[in-house]
Amino acid sequence: MDKGICIVTENEEQTIAVGEKIAGVLQKGDVLVLKGDLGAGKTHFVKGIAKGVGSGELVTSPTFTILNVYEGGRVVINHFDMYRLSGKEEASELGFEEYFDRTTSNGASVVEWPEQVEGLIKPPYYEIEIKKTDKDEQRKIYFRRVTL
Ligand code: ADP
Ligand code: MG
């Protein structure tokens, strides 16, 4: 599969800056899935997204809350971390489908660990994959649009 555009960052500030730029494409109803191992930099990337849309709200990892909502910007950002979710069924029970449906969503949704809800998020969506390299603070950030 095409890996899309690749951007290399050398520290967390640069990853935040990339998130800030990519925030520019996000519109209400959009979904962006964020892949990558623990510690890759997904949550830091979301810090950039929130900043990029102009939300001043503090971005933290929704590890336990599963969903954080950042308001006050050009578009509301729904920040999910599905890591601790038991699976798709739990996501449905929690009513998350409305956030992945352009016609019912209140904003743009950014989803860490989308593998946990495989099939619930349908194309079109944006995909980011962050990969560590053999250099400590270096990351490769792949960006692509997934369509039907
Ligand atoms: P994830 O959400 O993918 O688990 P976090 O964003 O919570 O990851 O944490 C990433 C960690 O990696 C932070 O401690 C951050 O300081 C560090 N880091 C080092 N280099 C980078 C980089 N280039 N981009 C993003 N984070 C980096
Ligand atoms: Mg995270």
Side-chain angles (χ1 to χ4, degrees):
M1 178 83 70
D2 168 37
K3 280 212 158 287
I5 296 169
C6 178
I7 300 161
V8 179
T9 67
E10 302 294 344
N11 52 52
E12 65 173 54
E13 289 79 16
Q14 288 183 3
T15 294
I16 292 170
V18 174
E20 210 177 323
K21 285 279 186 203
I22 285 177
V25 306
L26 292 180
Q27 304 292 341
K28 182 166 174 264
D30 285 344
V31 177
L32 186 155
V33 306
L34 265 177
K35 296 183 172 177
D37 295 342
L38 267 180
K42 301 181 293 299
T43 298
H44 279 75
F45 187 86
V46 181
K47 283 180 192 286
I49 288 183
K51 196 174 168 196
V53 299
S55 170
E57 294 205 62
L58 182 69
V59 173
T60 57
S61 178
T63 314
F64 297 99
T65 54
I66 306 178
L67 169 62
N68 287 346
V69 180
Y70 311 122
E71 295 176 332
R74 181 179 60 78
V75 52
V76 171
I77 300 296
N78 303 303
H79 177 198
F80 292 87
D81 184 336
M82 304 299 193
Y83 193 71
R84 287 176 186 276
L85 208 70
S86 61
K88 263 199 298 198
E89 296 69 27
E90 192 182 356
S92 289
E93 280 162 25
L94 292 167
F96 288 170
E97 271 144 327
E98 78 172 75
Y99 296 102
F100 307 138
D101 180 338
R102 177 168 302 281
T103 62
T104 54
S105 184
N106 60 331
S109 295
V110 179
V111 185
E112 298 187 43
W113 298 102
E115 299 87 347
Q116 291 278 89
V117 294
E118 194 89 67
L120 212 67
I121 299 171
K122 298 184 179 63
Y125 57 84
Y126 296 103
E127 181 178 289
I128 293 280
E129 184 166 2
I130 307 180
K131 286 186 174 286
K132 291 186 179 177
T133 72
D134 50 15
K135 275 176 80 182
D136 240 10
E137 296 194 33
Q138 191 180 70
R139 301 289 189 270
K140 285 186 173 171
I141 303 176
Y142 295 92
F143 175 81
R144 68 185 180 111
R145 177 89 172 142
V146 178
T147 53
L148 281 168

